Amino acid sequence: MRDGTFRDVAKEVGINSQDAFSCVAAGDINKDGFTDFFFGGDRAGFLAISDGLRHFKISPPPPVEMRDALAAQFLDYDNDGLLDLLVVTTRGLRMFRNLGSSFQDVSSQAFPHALPNLTYDYQRTVSRHAALVSGDLDGDGDVDLIVRGANGELRILRNDGGNRNHSIKIDLHGRVSNKSAVEAKIEMRAGSLWQKLETYSASPAPAPADLIFGLGKRDKPDAVRVLWPAGIVQAETEFPAVAQNGFISLNVTELDRKPSSCPYLYAWNGEDFEFATDFMGAGEMGYLEQPGQYNKPNPREYVRIRDDQLKEKNNRYELRVTNELEEAMFVDRLQLLAVAHPSRTEVYPNEGMSDPPKPFRLFVTRNARPPLTAIDDHGHDVLDLISRMDRRWPDDFKVDRIRGYAREHYLILKLADNGKSPDSKRERHGQSLNSEGRLRGRLPNQRMIMLLTGWTDYAWSSDNVAATQAGKTMTPPALQVKDKNGTWRTVIKDIGIPVGR
């Protein structure tokens, strides 16, 4: 339920069984992109085939050979590109070959010598947790087995026939995601052959430890696509040469991309659609700031579109919004506001995200200019980095191992007050923030306005939980000024951060 609790939905999704189960296997056995399951126990097990609409179709009763299942996995034992079903029963190992629309018992061919020596007493073995793991133990591109016998001894079964067909073995290395790439989804395409595998951390393991895609007689795949746990999509189309034993070993390191969930806003500028901003970050629901504490979403958001970014097209203005993670589906209203203002002035909304949200205001500025000086907490002159919107910013600060967190750092800005005596202000950046400062002047008889924009590396809910466990806290950016005694005093505890990334 995404709040640390679980709800039993078995009946709702079509798995209405009162039997007790001792094992489960998971995999996409019919190649529709959705995970299917095999449930096994002391009675006949069954296959639950997902329809992709949160419902499962229960297959006809499987053969009696699947009874008294102690452990099970979906794996491609012959590398033909179809996931087969391996079941450990009280009568030994059973292999059911996937024929596309049905399964065929090929146990006697797959285990000509192993069957007589691997028999179990069901009640005794269940209480001792029958063990089954699989992976490419000898590095020849097919799936081998490790099974614990009834007497507790481990039996290693080497696959000597799977590598008659070709295969590709994929080793994932996470960077933005977890290092082991747990919960990654991997797709492989080779001509008309398509297959999907996932990585798990469950125990007992519902699938092999190694990612091995059977290719049949095909030499290599056309493409491999990885959906990393961090949301990064990565496609590989170049592969190493085929090894002498007919399989390819591919190492895939996650690209250090910054995934985005915020929708993108594009505006027609008279020649093309121009990126204006990403937005809707403030309206996120269910964001964990720390265990048991959720954010307060702000459903209203105002973003600025410059006049040169939006031009008339066929007697209308055209804006386009992308739907990165289906967040745009929750939009209730999009409204275009035109603001009349004096010439040679610029108008900005206070779009910074803060907690609690700030009331909507517009600021009119003229003669925007950088500060006189900008010094970071190491004493470095960073004025050139913050004087223009050029995707450069001060970055000489320590980034934490947890995404979105960093050591506290600050910028000291010296401001010019209408060309008179300089003043100083210090912007203190809390953990996770690396903003690019931009300072503007002020209109006559009005106070000085400081405009800030930048790029934010958001921490996700899981990052905030990890930070809490590590004793870290998130500190928003604050504004401090020097008083007449030379002491820095905080005047705004939370100045907000850009709503988009």
Side-chain angles (χ1 to χ4, degrees):
M1 301 301 295
R2 297 187 178 184
D3 60 358
T5 63
F6 292 86
R7 182 169 65 90
D8 186 354
V9 296
K11 292 183 179 180
E12 297 177 24
V13 300
I15 305 177
N16 187 13
S17 176
Q18 302 302 317
D19 294 334
F21 301 106
S22 57
C23 62
V24 61
D28 180 15
I29 61 175
N30 58 353
K31 298 181 179 294
D32 62 354
F34 303 105
T35 302
D36 311 303
F37 295 93
F38 167 78
F39 294 92
D42 57 346
R43 300 183 183 181
F46 62 84
L47 293 169
I49 309 300
S50 173
D51 64 1
L53 300 174
R54 300 182 65 183
H55 194 272
F56 290 86
K57 177 182 178 181
I58 305 303
S59 67
V64 68
E65 288 80 3
M66 288 188 185
R67 287 181 178 272
D68 298 336
L70 304 171
Q73 283 189 2
F74 287 120
L75 49 84
D76 187 2
Y77 91 103
D78 55 357
N79 282 341
D80 65 350
L82 294 168
L83 290 180
D84 311 301
L85 176 60
L86 170 66
V87 183
V88 181
T89 73
T90 57
R91 291 168 301 283
L93 298 176
R94 297 290 173 176
M95 181 67 74
F96 298 90
R97 185 168 183 254
N98 189 345
L99 302 180
S101 58
S102 62
F103 285 86
Q104 178 185 10
D105 188 351
V106 294
S107 304
S108 58
Q109 298 97 305
F111 308 112
H113 306 295
L115 278 172
N117 300 319
L118 285 172
T119 57
Y120 305 84
D121 174 80
Y122 183 83
Q123 295 299 331
R124 179 186 176 193
T125 307
V126 167
S127 65
R128 295 176 59 186
H129 305 292
L132 164 67
V133 293
S134 62
D136 186 10
L137 302 179
D138 53 357
D140 64 350
D142 55 24
V143 180
D144 309 301
L145 308 176
I146 300 179
V147 184
R148 187 174 68 184
N151 58 1
E153 294 181 353
L154 294 181
R155 299 288 299 275
I156 298 177
L157 305 180
R158 187 181 65 196
N159 189 342
D160 285 336
N163 56 9
R164 294 172 186 170
N165 285 323
H166 297 167
S167 65
I168 179 170
K169 179 180 177 181
I170 300 175
D171 191 10
L172 300 180
H173 305 275
R175 296 178 65 186
V176 181
S177 306
N178 61 83
K179 301 299 182 182
S180 301
V182 173
E183 295 187 359
K185 296 174 174 57
I186 307 94
E187 300 175 5
M188 186 278 301
R189 169 75 69 179
S192 61
L193 177 63
W194 180 88
Q195 190 175 354
K196 175 185 175 183
L197 298 177
E198 299 186 35
T199 57
Y200 300 92
S201 62
S203 181
D210 292 317
L211 294 168
I212 299 178
F213 289 91
L215 297 172
K217 300 304 179 183
R218 300 167 180 83
D219 290 331
K220 63 179 182 179
D222 298 317
V224 170
R225 180 178 181 267
V226 182
L227 175 59
W228 296 90
I232 295 172
V233 178
Q234 182 174 345
E236 301 291 334
T237 57
E238 297 183 1
F239 305 97
V242 180
Q244 290 184 352
N245 49 7
F247 85 99
I248 298 172
S249 180
L250 177 66
N251 288 307
V252 180
T253 299
E254 183 179 15
L255 297 176
D256 193 10
R257 295 171 176 165
K258 298 300 181 183
S260 176
S261 62
C262 297
Y264 294 161
L265 175 64
Y266 290 86
W268 178 258
N269 62 12
E271 297 181 358
D272 203 351
F273 282 98
E274 179 180 345
F275 172 76
T277 184
D278 56 336
F279 65 128
M280 298 190 192
E284 184 176 9
M285 297 179 292
Y287 177 73
L288 268 177
E289 296 178 339
Q290 61 184 30
Q293 179 179 325
Y294 291 90
N295 70 313
K296 298 176 182 178
N298 182 10
R300 294 179 176 84
E301 184 175 338
Y302 296 84
V303 296
R304 180 175 181 258
I305 305 175
R306 302 191 313 270
D307 56 355
D308 62 296
Q309 290 180 309
L310 186 60
K311 300 297 182 181
E312 185 178 312
K313 180 183 180 182
N314 298 327
N315 297 319
R316 65 178 184 178
Y317 294 114
E318 188 168 347
L319 300 168
R320 293 186 179 181
V321 178
T322 64
N323 194 20
E324 304 302 306
L325 287 180
E326 300 184 350
E327 290 175 310
M329 297 175 63
F330 294 92
V331 173
D332 182 60
R333 183 178 68 170
L334 291 175
Q335 185 177 6
L336 182 63
L337 300 178
V339 180
H341 57 90
S343 62
R344 291 186 293 182
T345 62
E346 295 180 335
V347 178
Y348 294 86
N350 57 335
E351 59 174 305
M353 183 167 61
S354 61
D355 188 11
K358 295 179 174 62
F360 172 64
R361 291 183 61 186
L362 290 176
F363 296 92
V364 181
T365 68
R366 187 195 305 270
N367 298 328
R369 60 186 182 273
L372 290 179
T373 63
I375 307 297
D376 68 9
D377 50 340
H378 298 290
H380 300 153
D381 183 354
V382 295
L383 180 62
D384 183 61
L385 295 176
I386 69 168
S387 295
R388 289 168 296 278
M389 294 182 62
D390 54 6
R391 298 192 178 186
R392 298 186 305 135
W393 51 79
D395 58 2
D396 189 14
F397 52 86
K398 179 67 174 178
V399 177
D400 195 87
R401 62 179 179 83
I402 300 176
R403 174 179 44 207
Y405 284 74
R407 297 279 180 86
E408 184 173 283
H409 51 284
Y410 58 83
L411 299 178
I412 298 179
L413 309 177
K414 180 174 288 187
L415 313 182
D417 188 3
N418 278 346
K420 298 180 181 179
S421 60
D423 190 9
S424 293
K425 292 190 178 182
R426 181 171 74 169
E427 183 190 356
R428 181 171 59 84
H429 297 264
Q431 294 178 352
S432 89
L433 301 174
N434 49 341
S435 299
E436 174 192 351
R438 286 186 63 80
L439 183 64
R440 308 299 188 186
R442 68 177 181 177
L443 295 174
N445 303 320
Q446 293 192 11
R447 63 180 180 176
M448 180 175 290
I449 298 175
M450 184 165 62
L451 301 176
L452 299 170
T453 188
W455 182 88
T456 305
D457 188 5
Y458 276 114
W460 295 359
S461 293
S462 57
D463 300 316
N464 291 334
V465 172
T468 300
Q469 295 171 345
K472 303 177 185 295
T473 57
M474 180 74 74
T475 304
L479 183 66
Q480 298 178 337
V481 298
K482 266 186 180 180
D483 62 17
K484 60 182 180 180
N485 298 320
T487 302
W488 289 105
R489 298 190 180 278
T490 300
V491 293
I492 303 178
K493 292 183 178 180
D494 184 358
I495 62 177
I497 60 176
V499 177
R501 290 187 183 275

